[in-house]
C-alpha cells in the first residue's frame, strides 16, 4: 500500500559525525547489537536517536502539556485535532534490522524485554512492505521492567499500543490519516482513539476526560489535523495521585518537583472542572506521600536498602539475562538484584529488585543521625 | 559585669576589602544608614555579615538539622548539651550604633519594623555596659512583615526571644553560661530553656519533643556544653504540616523541596516516635497541599495575582514607610501593595500585600492555556 508522508529522507551523516565529535552520541552495545545512541540533542537529532548503519531512528519528540483544557485548546490549536488516549506505560520505537524486530526506549537503549515480546503483539508483515518503518508505541501493564504504575484496564502481562509512525532518516511523524490507514491495513495494535474535535468542543472533551478520570486512566494526547502536526497532552486529576502513589518511596530518587508538579496539576484539574476536593481525596494524597516513605523506611530498617520489585515474562531466557546485564551496567552492579528466573508455561518469568540508591543513601545518612543543612 | 568569652576580636579590614573587590559585599542604604552587607560568605565572614564603620556584625551561622533524635544525639555530640526551644519566627541580630538600637535580618538587611519595636522588648542598659554586644534573637508572632506562620502561644503582635550573644568583630557566640549570666543580669527576653542533657537522655528528650509536638510548637536547638559550642536543631512532626499549610500557595514561589523535605521529616518523626499516621493527619497534609493552591487560584482569578497579606504595628510612622520603601526596592515596585497605614492607640498599623510573582506568573501561563514540558 501507499502512504503519504510529507517529509523526505535527509542525509544525516554530517550531523552524526559532528555529534560524535562533540560527544553527544556514543557507541552503545547491547547483546549482539552495536549502534550509536544520542545522549543529547544535536541539531535535528533529538536525545534518544539511534543509528544502526544506514538507519537513523530519530528520538521521539517531547510533547508539551496543557494544564487547562478550555484555554489550552484555544491557545495551542489553529485547526481541528484528533484525540487519542494517553497510556501510562513506557515509550518505545520499534523497527526492523537484519530481519529482527527491535525496540528502543525513549533514551535510545535497545530493550531486551520489549524486543523479546514484540512478536506476541506486532504482525511483522508491515515491515516486509515498509522496511524503513518505525512504530512509536507505549508498552504498558503490570509485568514490565520499568514502571511502577500501569493502566487499570490491563490486568496482567503487557500490551503494546502504537500511537505514531515514523521512517528511518526522516524527521516528524506520519500525518494522522496515513497513520490510520497503515495501522488498519496491517492490524497493528493502536491506542484508543476518540475522534476529531475543535477548540469549541470543550463540552464533549470535558465529558471524555472526566470519564477517563473516573476510570483511573491517564489522559489524552491531542494531535492537530494540519501539516505542522502539533501535539499536546492533557491528563486526568486521578493520574496525579496514582503517580505519587506509585513512586511514593522515591522521595530522594525522583526530583521534588515530580511530586509537587502533580499536586499542582491535581489542583488545577479540580478547579477547572468544578470538582470538590473531598476529605477522601485529601486523605488519599496525604497517605500517598507519607505512607510510601514509612514503608520505604521499614524496608530500609529490615533490609538495609530501599528497592522496587519488578516481574516480567520473556519468550527467550537469553533476553532476560541480557536485560539484567544491561540494567546492571547502567545502574551499577549492586543496584539490580535478580530474584528468580524460571520457566512457567510458555514463558520465562524474571523477578528482580531495583534499588533506589539515592533514597537508600539518604536514609542511611538520616537514620544514622547525620546532619542536613537547608 | 564581666563575661568570659573565648574569642578575641580580630582585624577584619583586609578580608572586607577583598570581599568588596570580589563583589561578595555591597554598599547598602536603608533610611539614614549606610553600611556594607555580605551577599555571600567570604572567608570567615558569613553571608549576612554587616559592616557599620568599625563594627563588623558577623552573620549568624547556619545550624544543621538532625531528623533522628536517638542516633542524632550520639552522632553529633561529644559532650552534654543545653536544650532550648526553637521559635518559629525570623532571625535578627540586634546591636547599637550611634545610640540607636538596630536590627539586622539573617541576610543582613536593616529591618525598619524590628528596629522600630526593639525598645518595647529590649532593655537598653545592657548596651551601656557592653557597647559591642550583638543579641541574636528570633522575632515571632502574627503581626510580623515576613512570616506566614507563628508560634501558637503568641496571640497577637510580636515577641522577641534572645538565643545567642555575639560581639562585634568576633567570630562565634558566647559560651552558654556566659550568655545566661548576661541575659539574667539585664532581664533580657530569652528563648525557653529546657536544661542540660546528654546523648543518653533520649527518653526525657523524646517526652519533651512529643509534648512540644502536641502543642504545635516548632522544636528544639541543642547546644553542646564545650568549647566548640556545636549546635544542632530538631523539629516536631506537626511543624512540618504547619509550614506546608502556611506556605501552601507558594507552590512555584518556594522550591519544591521546601514541601517534600517537610513530608520526609514528618514521616521520619512519625516512624522514630512510633506515632500512627492517622487518616486525619493524611487528610490535613493533603488539604494543606491542594487547598492552598485552590485558594491561590481563586485569588488569581479574582484579582489577577497571588499574594500574602501582612499586618504589623509600628511606634513610628516613618519606619512603616521605610519598610514599604525597602521592600519595594528589594522585591520590585509592583510586588508590594500598601493597604492601610493608620494610627490605632499607641501604634501605627500597617497592612500590606506581598505578591508571589512566580506563582502569579505560573498561573498566568497555565490558566492562559500555556504549555509545560517536563
Amino acid at each position: 500500500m501507499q502512504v503519504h508522508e510529507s517529509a523526505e529522507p535527509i542525509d544525516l551523516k554530517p550531523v552524526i559525525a559532528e555529534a560524535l565529535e562533540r560527544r553527544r552520541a556514543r557507541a552503545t552495545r547491547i547483546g549482539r547489537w552495536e549502534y550509536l545512541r544520542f545522549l543529547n540533542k544535536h541539531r535535528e537529532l533529538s536525545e534518544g536517536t539511534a543509528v544502526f548503519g544506514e538507519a537513523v531512528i530519530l528520538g521521539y519528540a517531547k510533547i508539551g502539556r496543557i494544564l487547562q483544557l478550555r484555554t489550552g485548546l484555544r491557545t495551542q490549536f489553529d485547526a481541528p485535532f484528533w484525540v487519542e488516549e494517553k497510556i501510562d506505560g513506557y515509550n518505545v520505537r520499534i523497527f526492523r534490522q537484519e530481519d529482527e524486530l527491535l525496540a528502543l526506549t525513549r533514551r535510545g537503549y535497545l530493550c531486551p524485554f520489549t524486543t523479546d515480546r514484540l512478536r506476541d503483539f506486532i504482525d511483522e508483515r508491515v515491515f516486509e512492505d515498509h522496511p524503513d518503518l518505525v512504530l512509536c508505541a507505549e508498552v504498558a501493564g503490570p509485568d514490565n521492567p520499568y514502571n511502577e504504575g500501569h493502566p487499570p484496564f490491563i490486568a496482567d502481562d503487557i500490551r503494546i499500543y502504537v500511537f505514531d509512525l515514523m521512517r528511518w532518516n526522516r524527521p516528524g511523524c506520519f500525518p494522522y490519516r496515513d497513520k490510520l490507514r497503515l495501522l488498519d491495513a496491517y492490524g497493528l495494535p493502536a491506542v484508543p482513539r476518540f475522534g476529531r474535535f475543535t477548540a469549541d468542543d470543550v463540552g464533549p472533551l470535558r465529558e471524555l476526560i472526566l470519564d477517563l478520570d473516573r476510570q483511573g486512566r491517564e489522559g489524552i494526547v491531542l494531535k492537530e489535523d494540519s501539516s505542522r502536526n502539533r501535539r499536546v497532552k492533557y491528563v486526568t486529576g486521578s493520574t496525579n495521585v496514582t503517580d505519587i502513589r506509585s513512586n511514593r518511596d522515591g522521595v530522594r530518587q525522583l526530583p521534588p518537583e515530580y511530586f509537587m508538579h502533580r499536586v499542582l496539576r491535581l489542583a488545577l484539574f479540580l478547579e477547572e472542572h468544578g470538582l470538590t476536593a473531598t476529605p477522601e481525596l485529601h486523605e488519599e494524597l496525604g497517605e500517598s506521600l507519607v505512607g510510601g516513605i514509612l514503608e520505604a523506611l521499614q524496608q530500609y530498617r529490615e533490609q538495609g536498602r530501599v528497592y522496587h520489585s519488578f516481574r516480567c515474562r520473556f519468550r527467550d531466557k537469553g533476553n532476560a539475562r541480557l536485560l539484567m546485564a544491561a540494567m546492571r551496567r547502567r545502574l551499577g552492579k549492586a543496584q539490580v538484584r535478580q530474584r528468580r528466573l524460571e520457566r512457567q508455561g510458555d514463558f520465562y518469568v524474571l523477578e528482580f529488585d531495583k534499588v533506589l540508591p539515592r533514597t537508600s543513601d539518604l536514609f542511611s545518612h538520616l537514620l544514622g543521625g547525620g546532619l542536613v543543612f537547608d
Side-chain angles (χ1 to χ4, degrees), chain A:
Chain A
M1 65 165 287
Q2 190 61 40
V3 291
H4 310 274
E5 311 105 86
S6 39
E8 290 298 310
I10 49 177
D11 182 16
L12 294 164
K13 284 200 187 69
V15 185
I16 293 167
E18 199 182 60
L20 269 171
E21 208 171 278
R22 300 202 185 170
R23 298 176 184 232
R24 296 195 183 147
R26 179 189 287 169
T28 302
R29 193 178 152 184
I30 294 174
R32 73 180 186 88
W33 299 101
E34 281 200 62
Y35 65 103
L36 293 183
R37 189 176 69 83
F38 276 64
L39 293 75
N40 302 104
K41 177 179 162 57
H42 184 66
R43 303 196 187 265
E44 54 265 73
L45 298 181
S46 41
E47 185 191 339
T49 293
V51 183
F52 284 75
E54 294 298 300
V56 180
I57 321 296
L58 273 85
Y60 188 78
K62 279 183 183 169
I63 295 181
R65 176 193 303 277
I66 53 172
L67 273 70
Q68 285 279 294
L69 188 60
R70 193 179 55 79
T71 54
L73 298 179
R74 297 219 166 280
T75 308
Q76 300 303 328
F77 293 110
D78 296 338
F81 45 83
W82 304 91
V83 177
E84 299 180 339
E85 180 158 2
K86 183 175 188 321
I87 302 284
D88 179 17
Y90 59 92
N91 176 302
V92 295
R93 282 159 292 150
I94 300 162
F95 64 106
R96 197 160 70 163
Q97 197 59 207
E98 299 175 20
D99 285 332
E100 269 204 58
L101 273 197
L102 300 176
L104 291 167
T105 65
R106 192 73 185 249
R107 292 173 62 206
Y109 288 108
L110 259 193
C111 171
F113 167 70
T114 318
T115 296
D116 179 277
R117 300 297 310 281
L118 287 176
R119 284 191 167 76
D120 289 336
F121 302 98
I122 305 292
D123 183 343
E124 271 188 90
R125 281 177 313 134
V126 67
F127 292 102
E128 308 289 335
D129 301 342
H130 301 275
D132 64 347
L133 190 69
V134 179
L135 312 179
C136 305
E138 199 79 0
V139 182
D143 296 340
N144 85 79
Y146 303 119
N147 291 359
E148 282 292 300
H150 63 85
F153 50 84
I154 306 178
D156 63 358
D157 201 15
I158 52 159
R159 303 289 182 276
I160 296 185
Y161 301 90
V162 180
F163 52 78
D164 265 317
L165 300 176
M166 302 196 298
R167 286 198 194 276
W168 300 355
N169 311 326
R170 291 191 217 193
C173 296
F174 277 39
Y176 198 81
R177 288 178 185 84
D178 294 344
K179 173 185 87 165
L180 287 198
R181 209 172 301 137
L182 197 140
L183 290 181
D184 285 353
Y186 294 91
L188 293 169
V191 284
R193 294 187 293 268
F194 302 116
R196 190 166 171 274
F197 298 82
T198 73
D200 290 329
D201 297 322
V202 178
L205 285 171
R206 183 197 302 268
E207 285 312 305
L208 170 63
I209 199 79
L210 289 174
D211 192 43
L212 294 174
D213 187 51
R214 280 186 292 268
Q215 295 179 48
R217 291 159 81 163
E218 192 181 11
I220 53 179
V221 179
L222 305 87
K223 299 177 174 177
E224 193 172 82
D225 190 7
S226 70
S227 61
R228 68 173 187 162
N229 203 350
R230 182 177 184 77
R231 287 102 196 282
V232 160
K233 59 190 179 188
Y234 179 66
V235 301
T236 62
S238 62
T239 202
N240 297 303
V241 184
T242 306
D243 281 355
I244 290 172
R245 176 171 298 277
S246 298
N247 294 287
R248 55 212 220 129
D249 48 358
V251 66
R252 178 64 158 253
Q253 200 64 29
L254 292 164
E257 54 270 30
Y258 178 91
F259 300 96
M260 291 310 295
H261 282 183
R262 281 165 175 77
V263 172
L264 176 66
R265 288 181 208 156
L266 172 63
L268 281 158
F269 188 86
L270 295 170
E271 200 250 0
E272 177 170 14
H273 299 301
L275 302 173
T276 311
T278 60
E280 290 72 28
L281 178 70
H282 290 147
E283 189 187 328
E284 197 184 339
L285 177 64
E287 202 280 329
S288 296
L289 285 164
V290 170
I293 302 176
L294 289 175
E295 278 172 27
L297 280 169
Q298 195 184 342
Q299 202 181 50
Y300 183 85
R301 294 243 190 236
E302 288 167 4
Q303 302 179 51
R305 56 178 100 186
V306 183
Y307 58 85
H308 283 180
S309 296
F310 295 87
R311 175 201 133 99
C312 48
R313 311 197 297 174
F314 291 78
R315 293 293 181 182
D316 176 347
K317 200 170 180 174
N319 282 329
R321 293 202 174 110
L322 212 48
L323 177 74
M324 288 291 85
M327 280 200 164
R328 285 201 186 96
R329 207 165 49 231
R330 217 166 301 150
L331 305 174
K333 221 170 177 174
Q335 314 304 346
V336 183
R337 244 185 337 192
Q338 184 177 314
R339 284 196 176 270
R340 177 182 169 222
L341 175 57
E342 57 190 36
R343 191 168 189 102
Q344 195 176 295
D346 292 338
F347 289 96
Y348 290 89
V349 174
L350 170 69
E351 289 178 10
F352 67 97
D353 301 333
K354 221 185 287 178
V355 173
L356 306 181
R358 281 189 281 180
T359 306
S360 301
D361 290 352
L362 176 69
F363 285 0
S364 163
H365 178 71
L366 296 179
L367 296 179
L371 279 193
V372 285
F373 287 87
D374 43 11

